[in-house]
């Protein structure tokens, strides 16, 4: 690793929205191929941390590094825009509400960014869209518009769209939270498949069972700090911090 | 002296030519007002202050003064600074810019109401802000305002009669010319009204086709 840094390295991340301090000195490193889960109650700063990694919510302090390159470096405005667009091409993001482009078919959703940014030909773009949509089991719906798809299908297209840029890292922000329960598994399956292919992933989730089954490491966040982290079998079974235990107990109750 | 429609055939060619002018001017001005509306909306929302402020003044002028005055200004006024436009061109520009400002107001509101997640998703893929606007946000905003823009275009058709004041023989002026020769106002105004009605129907048909094409993607 460059400069002794991990593949993804967050150092002393601090983020405030006005007076509200949402991230308080968070550090985190993720190795290539690792899968890290982030859990925690609503408002604890999970999304903010995830969105800091690709600078959607720029940090007010601290550093983010990806593969040896500083993401949030200080540059003149234009140079920074160029740099950040470059960085974002390497980081796929999947949102709770899919954010598919409604005026484009699944094919166009997937191929738009590669066409715009990688200058590939129409034929290459079609082949790419077909391959990516096949990968998530959506090939037969390739010419459907998002409005013609179920939530689970939309999310699978959204994952294909992110993968089409061939990212080094995938970020998932509650990818299944907006789905009807019976549609969750089809999306989880796609994520499991990515895990088998050794994609580096950071997954914010409310699904403890899923986190336990795919993650190498799980972080519990509360009020802007990482309270506890560890392998899922330890964090979920024998958490050392009272706040973690409290959260897991409440979560178990509400799941019943 | 009752109605006598037998006078019409002799002047039908003039009316038809006027009709062609009205359609041509309306279509050209509509296209100008559509794309102009998008450009104006982007300037109003995203241009730096130094461009935005003077632009606001011009936009205000187009909304706050009579179209008639604007046509005079473009046709007679610009000559003084060496820009001598043919009347038809002056008419198209005047109508086009006037309605571009109205379209721009609609498009601005629509751009602002496109879900924030759309811009975020595009930026996450690595698109710049202007690329995201062009490929993702503006196409959705424009789709959302096709119905009110279509209403503006019907208004544009009706206001196209105003370019007669700078001497363009469009439908209304052609009817007037025929009336001048025959003293048959009722017959020719009715005929002109019928033609406006038919053009209107044509525009509604186009509007419905556009709406049907885009409805599937929403
Ligand atoms: N753009 C913003 N402006 C102001 N405050 C914000 C903004 N985004 C987030 N916050 C605040 O930051 C805190 C953390 O939000 P964040 O979305 O990161 O939480 P979360 O852990 O993802 O919660 P959830 O489980 O509900 O998604 C919250 O108190 C939220 O209100
Ligand atoms: Mg969140």
């Amino acid at each position: 690793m460059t400069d002794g840094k991990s593949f993804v390295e967050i150092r002393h991340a601090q983020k405030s929205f006005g007076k509200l301090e949402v991230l308080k000195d968070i550090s985190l490193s993720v190795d290539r191929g690792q899968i890290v889960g982030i859990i925690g109650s609503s408002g604890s700063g999970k999304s903010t941390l995830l969105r800091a990694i690709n600078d959607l919510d720029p940090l007010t302090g601290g550093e983010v590094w990806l593969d040896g390159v500083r993401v949030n470096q200080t540059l003149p405005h234009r140079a920074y825009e160029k740099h950040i667009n470059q960085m974002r091409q390497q980081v796929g993001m999947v949102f709770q509400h899919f954010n598919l482009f409604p005026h484009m078919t699944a094919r166009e959703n997937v191929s738009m960014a590669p066409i715009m940014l990688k200058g590939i030909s129409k034929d290459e773009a079609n082949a790419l869209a077909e391959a990516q949509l096949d990968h998530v089991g959506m090939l037969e719906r390739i010419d459907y518009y998002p409005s013609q798809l179920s939530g689970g299908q939309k999310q699978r297209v959204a994952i294909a769209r992110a993968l089409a840029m061939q990212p080094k890292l995938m970020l998932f922000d509650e990818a299944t939270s907006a789905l009807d329960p019976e549609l969750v598994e089809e999306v989880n399956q796609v994520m499991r498949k990515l895990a088998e292919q050794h994609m580096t992933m950071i997954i914010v989730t409310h699904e403890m069972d899923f986190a336990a089954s795919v993650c190498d490491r799980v972080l519990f966040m509360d009020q802007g700090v990482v309270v506890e982290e560890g392998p899922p079998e330890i964090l979920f079974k024998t958490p050392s911090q009272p706040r973690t235990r409290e959260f897991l107990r409440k979560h178990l109750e509400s799941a019943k | 002296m009752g109605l006598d429609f037998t006078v019409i055939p002799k002047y039908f060619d003039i009316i038809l030519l006027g009709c062609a002018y009205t359609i041509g001017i309306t279509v050209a001005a509509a296209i100008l007002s559509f794309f102009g509306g998008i450009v104006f909306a982007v300037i109003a929302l995203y241009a730096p202050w130094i461009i935005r402020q003077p632009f606001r003044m011009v936009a205000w002028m187009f909304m706050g003064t009579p179209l008639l005055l604007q046509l005079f200004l473009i046709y007679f006024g610009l000559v003084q600074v060496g820009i001598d436009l043919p009347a038809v061109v002056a008419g198209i520009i005047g109508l086009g810019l006037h309605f571009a400002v109205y379209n721009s107001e609609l498009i601005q509101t629509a751009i602002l109401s496109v879900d924030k997640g759309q811009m975020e998703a595009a930026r996450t893929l690595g698109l710049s802000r202007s690329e995201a606007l062009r490929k993702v946000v503006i196409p959705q905003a424009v789709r959302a305002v096709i119905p009110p823009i279509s209403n503006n275009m019907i208004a544009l058709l009706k206001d196209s009669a105003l370019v007669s004041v700078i001497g363009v023989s469009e439908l209304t002026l052609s009817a007037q010319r025929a009336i001048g020769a025959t003293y048959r106002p009722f017959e020719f105004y009715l005929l002109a009204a019928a033609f406006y009605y038919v053009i209107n129907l044509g525009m509604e048909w186009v509007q419905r086709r556009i709406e049907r094409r885009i409805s599937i993607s929403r």
Side-chain angles (χ1 to χ4, degrees):
Chain A
M1 299 287 138
T2 328
D3 308 334
K5 287 180 198 78
S6 302
F7 185 60
V8 180
E9 179 99 16
I10 298 172
R11 289 183 176 172
H12 306 295
Q14 195 277 338
K15 171 74 180 177
S16 302
F17 290 108
K19 279 192 177 155
L20 181 71
E21 194 179 19
V22 177
L23 301 180
K24 303 166 186 165
D25 193 27
I26 291 188
S27 294
L28 164 70
S29 33
V30 182
D31 292 333
R32 200 186 286 269
Q34 240 188 4
I35 300 169
V36 173
I38 303 178
I39 61 171
S41 52
S42 185
S44 57
K46 305 182 296 294
S47 297
T48 309
L49 178 63
L50 206 63
R51 292 158 58 88
I53 294 172
N54 61 8
D55 209 47
L56 272 186
D57 281 337
L59 291 176
T60 37
E63 302 174 2
V64 179
W65 295 78
L66 173 65
D67 205 7
V69 180
R70 172 95 183 258
V71 175
N72 60 342
Q73 52 186 278
T74 316
L75 285 170
H77 178 71
R78 273 176 175 269
Y80 188 73
E81 282 294 302
K82 237 186 123 182
H83 157 77
I84 209 68
N85 291 337
Q86 199 65 46
M87 297 305 299
R88 282 175 179 158
Q89 291 186 30
Q90 305 169 42
V91 181
M93 184 154 196
V94 175
F95 301 88
Q96 182 177 356
H97 296 289
F98 330 123
N99 300 358
L100 283 181
F101 308 130
H103 59 301
M104 297 181 193
T105 61
R107 182 197 301 274
E108 292 163 341
N109 265 280
V110 172
S111 59
M112 187 271 285
I115 291 173
M116 296 278 292
L117 303 171
K118 297 195 162 164
I120 63 175
S121 71
K122 230 183 141 116
D123 287 343
E124 288 171 310
N126 274 326
L128 177 68
E130 280 160 22
Q132 292 301 343
L133 286 167
D134 192 26
H135 185 254
V136 299
M138 287 297 295
L139 189 55
E140 68 277 24
R141 299 274 155 116
I142 189 163
D143 289 316
Y144 283 48
Y145 284 94
S147 60
Q148 301 168 306
L149 301 174
S150 74
Q153 292 173 333
K154 280 183 203 167
Q155 195 60 296
R156 287 189 280 149
V157 173
I159 293 172
R161 176 178 70 177
L163 291 174
M165 287 301 289
Q166 282 154 337
K168 295 172 170 175
L169 168 69
M170 286 287 288
L171 308 174
F172 292 85
D173 193 356
E174 300 193 34
T176 55
S177 290
L179 299 178
D180 293 336
E182 72 272 18
L183 302 178
V184 167
E185 193 42 40
E186 63 186 74
V187 173
N188 282 349
Q189 249 164 29
V190 170
M191 292 169 69
R192 278 202 191 91
K193 195 163 154 188
L194 282 178
E196 283 161 21
Q197 294 163 347
H198 307 291
M199 173 63 81
T200 313
M201 303 196 262
I202 305 179
I203 301 171
V204 170
T205 184
H206 284 298
E207 278 184 89
M208 304 307 153
D209 291 338
F210 179 70
S213 68
V214 302
C215 294
D216 300 306
R217 194 149 54 96
V218 176
L219 273 64
F220 168 63
M221 280 181 69
D222 191 28
Q223 295 180 13
V225 297
V226 176
V227 174
E228 183 169 357
E229 67 169 286
E233 56 275 15
I234 294 177
L235 190 112
F236 288 123
K237 301 245 169 64
T238 53
S240 61
Q241 298 294 318
R243 274 198 276 176
T244 316
R245 262 175 268 157
E246 173 80 348
F247 170 78
L248 290 172
R249 189 179 55 77
K250 278 201 179 131
H251 195 273
L252 212 63
E253 274 170 13
S254 67
K256 270 176 196 163
Chain B
M1 69 185 194
L3 287 181
D4 176 12
F5 287 100
T6 60
V7 296
I8 286 179
K10 201 176 156 207
Y11 293 91
F12 200 70
D13 287 356
I14 297 176
I15 302 288
L16 221 51
L17 187 64
C19 200
Y21 266 103
T22 290
I23 294 172
I25 290 168
T26 301
V27 168
I31 292 169
L32 176 61
S33 78
F34 178 75
F35 291 103
I38 295 173
V39 172
F40 288 0
V42 171
I43 293 174
L45 291 177
Y46 303 107
W49 187 87
I50 192 95
I51 297 171
R52 214 167 57 224
Q53 272 333 77
F55 174 81
R56 284 232 173 107
M57 292 293 297
V58 177
W60 173 85
M61 205 209 77
F62 274 103
M63 290 189 81
T65 63
L67 177 55
L68 193 60
L69 183 85
Q70 293 160 25
L71 290 170
F72 284 149
L73 197 69
I74 291 169
Y75 187 56
F76 298 116
L78 287 183
V79 174
Q80 273 176 272
V81 293
I83 304 172
D84 190 359
L85 298 169
V88 175
V89 175
I92 290 170
I93 293 177
L95 275 171
L97 292 185
H98 182 83
F99 281 93
V101 171
Y102 282 98
N103 287 345
S104 156
E105 297 289 318
L106 294 169
I107 295 168
Q108 280 176 55
T109 312
I111 286 176
L112 294 176
S113 55
V114 169
D115 179 30
K116 256 182 63 218
Q118 292 291 308
M119 173 61 90
E120 282 186 354
R123 296 305 307 269
T124 299
L125 291 165
L127 272 69
S128 69
R129 190 162 81 156
S130 59
E131 287 167 336
L133 279 174
R134 190 155 51 85
K135 296 297 285 188
V136 174
V137 176
I138 289 173
Q140 290 180 56
V142 167
R143 278 169 166 77
V145 289
I146 292 292
I149 283 184
S150 302
N151 288 341
N152 280 355
M153 297 304 97
I154 301 284
L156 189 155
L157 166 66
K158 291 187 277 187
D159 282 353
S160 72
L162 281 172
V163 301
S164 61
V165 297
I166 54 173
V168 179
S169 294
E170 44 64 69
L171 185 48
T172 303
L173 186 55
S174 303
Q176 245 156 4
R177 293 228 162 108
I179 292 161
T182 59
Y183 304 103
R184 288 281 173 186
F186 204 61
E187 287 85 344
F188 282 103
Y189 283 140
L190 268 184
L191 182 64
F195 272 118
Y196 276 115
Y197 180 67
V198 171
I199 300 172
N200 237 307
L201 289 182
M203 289 175 71
E204 277 171 22
W205 182 78
V206 172
Q207 174 192 348
R208 270 198 307 275
R209 286 199 53 138
I210 296 173
E211 276 178 15
R212 203 172 317 144
R213 278 201 61 162
I214 63 176
S215 66
I216 193 162
S217 57
R218 290 206 279 141

